[in-house]
Amino acid sequence: MNFASDNVVGASAPVMQALMQANAGAMAAYGADEITRRVKARFSEIFERDVAVFLVTTGTAANALALSSAVPPWGLCVCHREAHVIDDECGAPEFFMHGAKLIGLPGIAAKLDVPTVKSYLQGLPKSVKQMPPKALSISQATECGTVYARDEIAALAAVCREHGMALHMDGARFVNALVSLGCTPAEMTWKQGVDILSFGATKNGCLMAEAIVVFRPELAEALDYRSKRAGQIISKGRLIAAQLEGYFADDHWLANARHANRMAGLLAEGLKQLPGVRLAWPVEANEVFPIIPKAMSEALRTAGVLFMGWTEASLPEGEAIAPDEALVRLVTSFMTPEEDVGRLIEIARGAVARQAAE
């Protein structure tokens, strides 16, 4: 049973079928094919307006290139201190921004709030010695599995406008957040002030397919060249586009995310019922962060359950991990069987019973 990540499973059947169909015969190279054209038009339909779309193979490429279009080499990008862009990209955003910096701010549940961002921005010296803030990056869903509500996004966008900054959304789990909020893609992005989006699909059913979606036209001007220099203009580009065509067909992407989120909800509800277990943060997408007895953690690992330990940096005020406890991350995917969720809960329940009997 693998709850380590939603990256551990392969591609979904509709995505693979679309990929196999696109594999037949010859088509124009470097994204000049009909499938890529259709997929880019589909993005405009999904977001209810004309958007510029750049297809890439990884989330790291999407984030790094998106931020490079918004932040000049002398600029700052503000994000949460646990954001993927600052904590898990091996410096790729700074590399592609050619010397610009990422600044990480604190926030409960890996979310930024307006007072924290405003306080930081207002405290920056207005001098040529200080790199000016040029972008704010938020993760949707966050690294703690929480989701920014629409009014929270709009409030942060207003701060960006006040300070002349672009708002970037890292949407590695974009659709998990989307179905959690029950809104449209437009309502979660540009209608709230998002300027550029890293649209994730690999975690939710694609083999390797992500996209940069640009809502502010001037941010798209150099992205073709930036993508080429980054090795992201793929000669057989139709095979990236085909994955997304299969992904979007018949709302397959939404169904995948609903399943993953539902499995996370079932897992959270089952674990919450057990003595000694509490949730570090609300379960709002497809990640569960329970605080559990170390004996339970050891029992799960012994039984072959794969999961990750997690940092305490964004715990709510007053919450703490005791010496005999562990904070862990459990991630569900579009392929997680309900039986695996039930089995994990049973193993955890057995650990509680054994500990009570000792």
Side-chain angles (χ1 to χ4, degrees):
M1 290 176 286
N2 198 323
F3 291 87
S5 177
D6 37 10
N7 277 331
V8 299
V9 295
S12 66
V15 168
M16 290 301 293
Q17 182 178 4
L19 187 60
M20 292 300 294
Q21 289 173 347
N23 191 56
M27 294 187 194
Y30 298 105
D33 58 278
E34 180 62 20
I35 301 174
T36 299
R37 188 198 66 77
R38 290 198 303 262
V39 164
K40 289 185 175 183
R42 182 75 177 108
F43 270 102
S44 292
E45 292 174 5
I46 287 170
F47 286 96
E48 304 173 38
R49 57 171 285 179
D50 287 337
V51 293
V53 181
F54 302 85
L55 305 185
V56 296
T57 56
T58 70
T60 297
N63 282 333
L65 291 171
L67 290 177
S68 75
S69 74
V71 185
W74 57 88
L76 293 177
C77 173
V78 179
C79 60
H80 191 275
R81 65 185 177 186
E82 290 188 79
H84 208 81
V85 293
I86 196 171
D87 214 27
D88 295 278
E89 310 272 38
C90 196
E94 293 98 330
F95 179 79
F96 283 97
M97 292 188 297
H98 300 293
K101 289 185 178 180
L102 288 164
I103 298 294
L105 303 182
I108 293 171
K111 291 174 74 172
L112 294 173
D113 60 38
V114 167
T116 300
V117 175
K118 273 192 168 183
S119 176
Y120 173 75
L121 295 175
Q122 290 167 356
L124 288 174
K126 306 300 188 289
S127 163
V128 73
K129 296 179 181 181
Q130 171 63 54
M131 300 173 81
K134 291 296 183 181
L136 178 71
S137 179
I138 60 173
S139 302
Q140 183 76 323
T142 73
E143 283 69 26
C144 292
T146 51
V147 172
Y148 285 94
R150 284 178 284 175
D151 61 341
E152 292 176 311
I153 299 170
L156 289 168
V159 176
C160 288
R161 297 294 175 267
E162 181 183 345
H163 291 270
M165 300 163 65
L167 180 57
H168 166 253
M169 178 179 284
D170 176 358
R173 295 184 174 93
F174 178 87
V175 66
N176 299 98
L178 185 73
V179 299
S180 177
L181 290 179
C183 63
T184 68
E187 289 169 342
M188 200 173 78
T189 54
W190 64 270
K191 288 187 176 183
Q192 308 309 325
V194 174
D195 296 301
I196 190 165
L197 165 70
S198 298
F199 179 91
T202 303
K203 294 180 186 294
N204 191 50
C206 284
L207 192 65
M208 53 179 76
E210 314 275 313
I212 304 166
V213 183
V214 187
F215 306 110
R216 209 166 92 194
E218 65 268 26
L219 297 180
E221 290 174 359
L223 269 171
D224 272 326
Y225 299 99
R226 293 182 185 275
S227 296
K228 179 62 177 175
R229 284 164 61 89
Q232 290 296 321
I233 303 292
I234 309 300
S235 63
K236 297 182 182 180
R238 72 182 191 270
L239 300 181
I240 301 176
Q243 295 173 63
L244 289 163
E245 191 160 61
Y247 185 64
F248 290 139
D250 301 318
D251 287 340
H252 175 60
W253 62 309
L254 300 173
N256 279 2
R258 290 189 183 108
H259 175 83
N261 287 12
R262 188 172 73 86
M263 292 300 102
L266 291 175
L267 184 56
E269 285 303 311
L271 290 174
K272 280 196 307 184
Q273 307 307 314
L274 302 179
V277 177
R278 62 192 186 279
L279 298 180
W281 304 288
V283 176
E284 296 176 345
N286 66 316
E287 297 174 280
V288 183
F289 292 85
I291 300 168
I292 62 177
K294 282 187 176 177
M296 182 183 294
S297 175
E298 292 164 4
L300 290 170
R301 292 195 188 280
T302 299
V305 181
L306 300 179
F307 57 93
M308 294 177 63
W310 206 250
T311 172
E312 304 171 25
S314 294
L315 287 175
E317 186 175 352
E319 181 63 89
I321 311 300
D324 61 345
E325 293 180 324
L327 169 58
V328 303
R329 184 186 80 161
L330 303 166
V331 188
T332 55
S333 77
F334 69 95
M335 288 183 68
T336 299
E338 192 167 338
E339 294 77 10
D340 281 5
V341 172
R343 176 63 179 146
L344 186 152
I345 294 168
E346 284 304 311
I347 295 167
R349 184 177 290 116
V352 170
R354 284 193 298 275
Q355 191 170 25
E358 292 176 353

